């Protein structure tokens, strides 16, 4: 072990307390996620082709949670995130802006018009020539079509809206495109995923590819899949958008996070989403 | 100076105790004082009320808890280790079904959660559950 | 009134006469405990819902006194006896004087 590596290891261990090795992947390997006793979600499946060199199977973050947390997501009333989906639905029907329109004026019932959206974003927008997140598309609609003020990229209003949109795709497999016009962004996201950063010198992969299933202090490390976002986190009892989670992770390794809504984080979101191609859309999920 | 893990822990505990002392003195009503106010100083029997909470809570901010007591008119729930121990008091009316209720509570750390039931005949019963609150690795 | 406060209630639409039904309620509310500090070190004043009640046709089902250790977005689950067709009324009382309501009809028969 070179001196440099040993310093890295010590830093990483100081951060983690210790990573306990040899833990089972999940407390109950056979736990199945069924919502309201009727909608069965895929929480483990074969890794997509582009990941085959690194992982055999991919797992939703749900499988790493304790039984009580898991149970909270299995009923739409017990899931506290769903009240924010209700608030998102209220916002969907609210007329705003100079054009005197609501989301519903053009898109009618989101159960029809938004079905499948969460599963395929971030997605290339041909007219704009850019990769767009659901948040980006919401703000495009608000500013260009409604003549309304954009939501702050990470905010309660935005989280409510993207949660409501995510619910319309619940149970559908994540299926983001990774080639064609998004190829360059996907490669950029992959580069970010594997680049060590911060005082602790950790990459996304250090925890979520090389140590998933192990404990970081008392936390069970997941694969860092984002199929459950937005996620209602018990720690602060609110919905978290995916790029806010990225931001928190990089801050925790004492790095300098990209801006939420930046092209870099959007590229990373595409890449991380593609690592979960095949898992069910779960938003709004419940996590610790 | 080199410290082994045990010595480092001991130092940490000492520091925590020093910090914790003033807070302890400033606390409004302790759990025991709240129980005394609820019971009027009457004797409290063990049993006759149940409390259900996870042995290990993944996050102390949202911990499920359920209480039940067939003959209770009220059940008080206290988180004895919180700076303000009060969680809730359930008063059951004529329209209540089973005299049971669930909620979600905040626990400042590993501690005992106590339920005190006031029975229809004026007697009191007590039950307790210990909940371990884990400390996550990532603030994220 | 605090921002974004929205109640949710789960109650059955139908019941048998005299049946005890399970009710669940949740309301989005920050439940500021009065223990937390701002970035500048000043205490954030307490702002919680301090009482929740459920009545059926004017008869009290449960009356809950709530303290700061109740989690953000307070959740309750309890049972009510439904003797006849009628209305369940749910009321939340905020520290700031606001009162939030919801109601559900339950039909017997």
């Amino acid at each position: 072990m070179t001196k440099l590596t040993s310093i890295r290891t010590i830093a990483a261990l100081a951060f983690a307390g210790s990573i306990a090795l040899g833990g089972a992947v999940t407390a109950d390997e056979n736990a199945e996620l069924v919502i309201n006793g009727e909608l069965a979600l895929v929480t483990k499946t074969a890794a997509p082709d582009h990941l085959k060199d690194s992982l055999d199977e991919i797992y939703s973050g749900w499988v790493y949670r304790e039984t009580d947390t898991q149970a909270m997501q299995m009923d739409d009333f017990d899931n506290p995130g769903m009240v924010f989906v209700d608030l998102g639905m209220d916002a969907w029907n609210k007329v705003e802006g100079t054009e005197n329109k609501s989301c519903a004026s053009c898109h009618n019932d989101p159960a029809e018009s938004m079905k499948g959206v969460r599963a395929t974003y971030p997605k290339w927008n041909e007219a704009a020539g850019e990769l767009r997140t659901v948040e980006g598309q919401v703000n495009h609609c608000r500013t260009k079509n409604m003549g309304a003020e954009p939501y702050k990229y990470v905010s309660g209003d935005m989280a409510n809206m993207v949660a409501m949109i995510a619910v319309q795709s619940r149970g559908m497999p994540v299926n983001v495109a990774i080639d064609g016009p998004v190829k360059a962004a996907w490669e950029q996201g992959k580069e970010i995923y594997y680049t060590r950063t911060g005082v602790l010198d950790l990459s996304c992969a250090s925890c979520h590819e090389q140590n998933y299933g192990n404990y970081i202090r008392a936390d069970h490390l997941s694969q860092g899949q984002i199929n459950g976002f937005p996620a209602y986190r018990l720690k602060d009892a609110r919905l978290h958008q995916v790029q806010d989670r990225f931001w928190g992770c990089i801050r925790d390794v004492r790095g300098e996070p990209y801006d939420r809504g930046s092209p870099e984080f959007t590229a990373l979101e595409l890449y991380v989403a593609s690592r979960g191609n095949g898992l069910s859309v779960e938003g709004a999920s419940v996590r610790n | 100076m080199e410290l082994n893990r045990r010595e480092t822990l001991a130092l940490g505990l000492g520091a925590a105790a020093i910090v914790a002392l003033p807070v302890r003195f400033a606390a409004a009503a302790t759990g025991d004082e709240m129980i005394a106010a609820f019971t009027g100083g009457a004797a409290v029997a063990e049993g006759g009320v149940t409390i259900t909470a996870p042995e290990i809570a993944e996050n102390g901010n949202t911990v499920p808890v359920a209480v039940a007591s067939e003959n209770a008119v009220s059940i008080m729930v206290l988180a004895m280790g919180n700076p303000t121990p009060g969680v809730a008091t359930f008063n059951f009316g004529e329209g209540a079904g089973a005299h049971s209720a669930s909620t979600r509570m905040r626990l400042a750390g590993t501690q005992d959660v106590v339920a005190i039931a006031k029975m229809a005949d004026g007697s009191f019963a007590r039950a307790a559950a210990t909940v371990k609150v884990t400390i996550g690795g990532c603030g994220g | 009134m605090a921002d974004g406060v929205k109640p949710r209630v789960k109650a059955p639409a139908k019941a048998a006469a005299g049946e005890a039904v399970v009710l669940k309620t949740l309301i989005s509310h920050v439940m500021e405990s009065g223990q937390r500090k701002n970035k500048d070190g000043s205490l954030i004043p307490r702002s919680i819902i301090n009482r929740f009640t459920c009545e059926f046709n004017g008869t009290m089902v449960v009356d809950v006194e709530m303290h700061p250790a109740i989690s953000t977005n307070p959740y309750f689950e309890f049972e009510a006896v439904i003797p006849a067709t009628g209305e369940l009324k749910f009321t939340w009382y905020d520290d700031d004087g606001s009162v939030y309501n919801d109601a559900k009809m339950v039909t017997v028969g």
Side-chain angles (χ1 to χ4, degrees):
Chain A
M1 194 184 266
T2 67
K3 193 163 189 182
L4 187 63
T5 338
S6 88
I7 288 169
R8 268 184 193 166
T9 310
I10 289 163
L13 288 178
F15 168 62
S18 68
I19 291 180
L21 299 171
V25 168
T26 151
D28 176 7
E29 296 257 5
N30 299 314
E32 290 195 5
L33 175 52
V34 180
I35 310 276
N36 303 332
E38 54 190 28
L39 178 64
L41 303 187
V42 175
T43 56
K44 44 193 151 182
T45 190
D49 286 342
H50 71 83
L51 261 188
K52 288 279 195 241
D53 290 344
S54 322
L55 297 173
D56 294 329
E57 280 214 287
I58 50 174
Y59 302 93
S60 160
W62 183 83
V63 306
Y64 298 95
R65 304 282 49 95
E66 294 285 345
T67 316
D68 288 308
T69 311
Q70 290 186 335
M72 221 178 271
Q73 197 185 321
M74 295 176 73
D75 178 294
D76 276 349
F77 200 89
D78 294 345
N79 179 347
M82 297 309 281
V83 75
F84 299 99
V85 171
D86 288 353
L87 285 165
M89 197 62 217
D90 292 347
W92 178 267
N93 290 313
K94 189 177 164 194
V95 173
E96 285 182 80
T98 54
E99 301 304 307
N100 220 22
K101 282 180 183 170
S102 70
C103 306
S105 307
C106 296
H107 299 290
N108 304 311
D109 182 358
E112 300 285 332
S113 60
M114 294 296 123
K115 195 175 168 70
V117 168
R118 177 68 273 173
T120 54
Y121 272 71
K123 192 178 186 177
W124 184 254
N125 184 292
E126 193 58 52
E130 66 178 21
L131 179 66
R132 211 171 258 178
T133 58
V134 175
E135 284 90 340
Q137 186 59 44
V138 166
N139 270 344
H140 175 84
C141 261
R142 287 184 63 82
T143 53
K144 296 290 186 291
N145 301 334
M146 293 167 71
E149 288 294 315
Y151 289 144
K152 192 161 175 262
Y153 193 92
V154 168
S155 59
D157 286 334
M158 186 62 97
N160 295 347
M161 182 60 75
V162 297
M164 191 280 290
I165 291 170
V167 163
Q168 313 308 330
S169 302
R170 210 158 45 153
M172 296 175 72
V174 175
N175 184 23
V176 295
I178 64 171
D179 45 23
V182 302
K183 180 81 174 150
W186 186 82
E187 294 288 356
Q188 183 192 8
K190 185 175 179 181
E191 171 84 23
I192 295 169
Y193 189 90
Y194 285 102
T195 302
R196 286 174 175 269
T197 186
V199 176
L200 302 187
D201 201 31
L202 295 167
S203 71
C204 305
S206 308
C207 288
H208 297 293
E209 184 173 287
Q210 291 154 21
N211 277 296
Y212 67 88
N214 294 326
Y215 281 88
I216 186 162
R217 289 181 29 169
D219 251 352
H220 208 178
L221 275 174
S222 75
Q223 281 187 345
Q225 298 287 357
I226 59 173
N227 59 305
F229 280 82
Y232 183 91
R233 296 192 65 191
L234 301 180
K235 67 163 220 152
D236 55 6
R238 66 176 180 86
L239 287 177
H240 287 247
Q241 293 163 242
V242 65
Q243 293 196 16
D244 203 29
R245 190 70 189 89
F246 291 165
W247 191 92
C249 262
I250 295 180
R251 178 204 53 201
D252 286 351
V253 302
R254 317 287 186 263
E256 211 170 297
Y258 298 106
D259 288 338
R260 288 156 281 202
S262 65
E264 291 86 354
F265 264 174
T266 297
L268 181 62
E269 182 177 339
L270 173 66
Y271 176 69
V272 179
S274 79
R275 292 174 67 95
N277 271 352
L279 293 172
S280 296
V281 173
E282 283 179 36
S285 67
V286 181
R287 300 288 188 260
N288 62 322
Chain B
M1 183 166 107
E2 274 198 73
L3 293 174
N4 65 26
R5 184 179 136 79
R6 190 164 297 221
E7 287 161 346
T8 310
L9 266 176
L11 278 179
L13 284 175
I18 290 162
V19 174
L21 274 173
V23 177
R24 199 170 278 260
F25 288 128
T30 65
D32 289 336
E33 284 165 0
M34 289 184 75
I35 293 170
F38 186 67
T39 60
V44 179
E46 288 290 328
V49 55
T50 60
I51 183 163
T52 312
E55 270 178 56
I56 298 173
E58 199 160 26
N59 195 289
N61 215 6
T62 314
V63 182
V65 60
V67 290
S69 175
E70 206 180 323
N71 299 313
V73 290
S74 311
I75 304 177
M76 180 170 71
V77 183
L78 298 170
M80 301 301 277
N82 276 4
T84 54
V87 177
T89 302
F90 299 94
N91 299 295
F92 299 102
E94 275 178 49
H99 287 194
S100 63
S102 311
T103 187
R104 295 167 182 162
M105 62 186 167
R106 296 166 170 155
L107 298 181
T110 296
Q111 59 179 283
D112 286 340
V113 182
V114 169
I116 308 286
K118 181 183 184 181
M119 302 304 186
D121 65 4
S123 67
F124 292 91
R126 176 186 187 277
T130 303
V131 181
K132 282 191 182 126
V133 175
T134 63
I135 298 163
C138 303
Chain C
M1 175 169 150
D3 285 339
V5 177
K6 189 174 180 79
R8 297 185 95 205
V9 170
K10 186 180 186 180
K14 287 179 182 168
E19 185 185 351
V21 300
V22 175
L23 305 173
K24 294 181 180 183
T25 70
L26 187 144
I27 188 164
S28 55
H29 193 285
V30 68
M31 296 290 281
E32 189 60 57
S33 68
Q35 302 279 334
R36 297 197 310 159
K37 284 179 177 169
N38 269 326
K39 277 183 183 148
D40 64 12
S42 60
L43 213 57
I44 305 172
R46 171 183 138 153
S47 175
I48 70 167
I49 293 173
N50 56 53
R51 186 184 175 208
F52 165 75
T53 62
C54 170
E55 292 169 41
F56 181 77
N57 284 349
T59 302
M60 190 60 77
V61 172
V62 68
D63 185 341
V64 187
E65 190 187 312
M66 297 162 66
H67 296 290
I70 292 285
S71 299
T72 301
N73 307 322
Y75 169 93
F76 291 114
E77 182 178 336
F78 51 94
E79 286 186 15
V81 173
I82 308 296
T85 295
E87 191 183 52
L88 285 161
K89 202 176 143 201
F90 305 88
T91 315
W92 292 260
Y93 299 87
D94 196 311
D95 272 351
D96 70 6
S98 305
V99 176
Y100 318 107
N101 295 294
D102 204 347
K104 294 279 175 191
M105 278 300 296
V106 186
T107 307
V108 166

